Amino acid sequence: VEEWIRELSAPEPFFCDKESLNDELTAAMAAAEKKDRKGLTKTFEARRKELEARMHEVAAEALPAIGTSLMSLLQELQPLLQLCELCCQRERAVLAELSDAERLQRCRVFYDGTSDDVYSNFKCFRFSVGPVGFMKGEQFFHVAKALLCADLPSAQRMMLTTGGPALRRMGGQVEGYFERGADWENVDSGLLLLVNVIIKLAAVQPAYEEQNARLRAELLDDGRASPALHIAEGAKDDVRCGLGVHADDESVLD
């Protein structure tokens, strides 16, 4: 996976970083006189539209090839991905036989908005795949689904937002899912696992390891854990990528 990321890497990936632009506007408005604020608003609105137009262009040019390459990578790694899934199933069987106290030591359940959220795809750990910059993992996750279904317009729209509800809504409305989405629908295909592995490994590549230092440190620490640590997302409304139980629910380790 890391070799694939490096092969696709581009010298200057483009990010549609509207959050930073908004922070810049807020600071400029606070420092400006009242008579200048209307002009500032117009200027920053023009810059926002330029950002979106440029990302729309970059995505149109780069995403189809990234999607094709991703599916080739899936075919290459599918046997290993399925082996990983079998290992996880065996690990869960072992965990089921442990006491509550032992299970607590062997499991890490994360979720966005809880005290343990560093592995959440909603965290703003930016990374790039090819020339396309992603502001967070959840963005790439839904873009990958759209590319699988050859729905480039949806993928382009996804590149213009980082809002979780908006991304989930667009992901649920991807065109062509019934005809082309079998590998996404079938958890055992390995595609969902592959996409999430790409998200984490892309975020700790040399270009991003400093700004994403916390993520890198925790991945390294958990990777060295002995015995192995079982990591899962405590998402109440997700039984595909998550447990179907909230991370803070007292029954989550059951």
Side-chain angles (χ1 to χ4, degrees):
V1 172
E2 287 191 292
E3 181 180 350
W4 179 81
I5 293 169
R6 287 193 293 268
E7 287 178 352
L8 290 181
S9 65
E12 295 184 9
F14 184 78
F15 291 86
C16 187
D17 191 354
K18 292 190 284 188
E19 287 85 354
S20 291
L21 183 64
N22 189 61
D23 290 343
E24 188 182 340
L25 171 60
T26 300
M29 293 287 277
E33 294 184 15
K34 186 175 181 179
K35 62 182 178 63
D36 297 325
R37 290 175 182 170
K38 186 175 181 180
L40 276 173
T41 300
K42 291 179 63 175
T43 298
F44 275 85
E45 177 63 13
R47 289 176 60 186
R48 182 189 65 79
K49 290 180 178 179
E50 288 174 8
L51 266 181
E52 291 185 341
R54 178 58 181 148
M55 176 52 80
H56 194 270
E57 183 180 292
V58 170
E61 184 175 343
L63 286 181
I66 290 173
T68 300
S69 183
L70 175 62
M71 295 313 297
S72 295
L73 183 65
L74 174 64
Q75 286 188 320
E76 177 186 346
L77 297 182
Q78 204 157 38
L80 288 174
L81 292 165
Q82 291 171 345
L83 179 60
C84 286
E85 178 58 31
L86 288 174
C87 289
C88 287
Q89 291 175 11
R90 287 196 292 268
E91 178 69 12
R92 287 196 291 273
V94 170
L95 291 170
E97 299 300 319
L98 299 179
S99 68
D100 290 348
E102 290 174 314
R103 200 178 300 154
L104 183 62
Q105 296 300 314
R106 292 279 300 275
C107 295
R108 178 174 183 177
V109 182
F110 69 91
Y111 192 61
D112 186 52
T114 68
S115 59
D116 189 352
D117 63 357
V118 71
Y119 289 151
S120 170
N121 283 343
F122 292 97
K123 297 296 287 182
C124 292
F125 295 125
R126 66 165 63 191
F127 61 90
S128 59
V129 177
V132 183
F134 295 86
M135 299 301 298
K136 59 177 63 171
E138 190 72 3
Q139 198 174 36
F140 180 80
F141 183 85
H142 291 287
V143 166
K145 179 181 181 180
L147 293 179
L148 169 68
C149 299
D151 186 356
L152 180 59
S154 286
Q156 288 173 288
R157 289 192 294 272
M158 291 169 183
M159 292 307 307
L160 305 182
T161 184
T162 58
L167 287 168
R168 285 195 297 269
R169 183 178 65 255
M170 286 187 278
Q173 297 172 348
V174 165
E175 295 287 338
Y177 186 75
F178 180 79
E179 297 83 4
R180 302 184 180 92
D183 282 328
W184 197 270
E185 186 69 22
N186 177 17
V187 176
D188 293 333
S189 74
L191 180 57
L192 292 178
L193 175 58
L194 176 60
V195 167
N196 282 296
V197 169
I198 289 171
I199 288 169
K200 296 300 180 280
L201 291 181
V204 296
Q205 293 303 298
Y208 307 103
E209 63 180 0
E210 183 175 348
Q211 59 189 285
N212 297 336
R214 180 187 171 203
L215 174 63
R216 183 175 186 275
E218 298 212 21
L219 285 170
L220 287 172
D221 285 346
D222 287 348
R224 297 186 185 112
S226 181
L229 192 65
H230 190 79
I231 302 171
E233 182 185 30
K236 181 179 179 180
D237 57 351
D238 187 353
V239 295
R240 289 164 55 76
C241 293
L243 296 174
V245 181
H246 193 276
D248 288 339
D249 193 302
E250 61 182 15
S251 67
V252 68
L253 292 180
D254 294 344

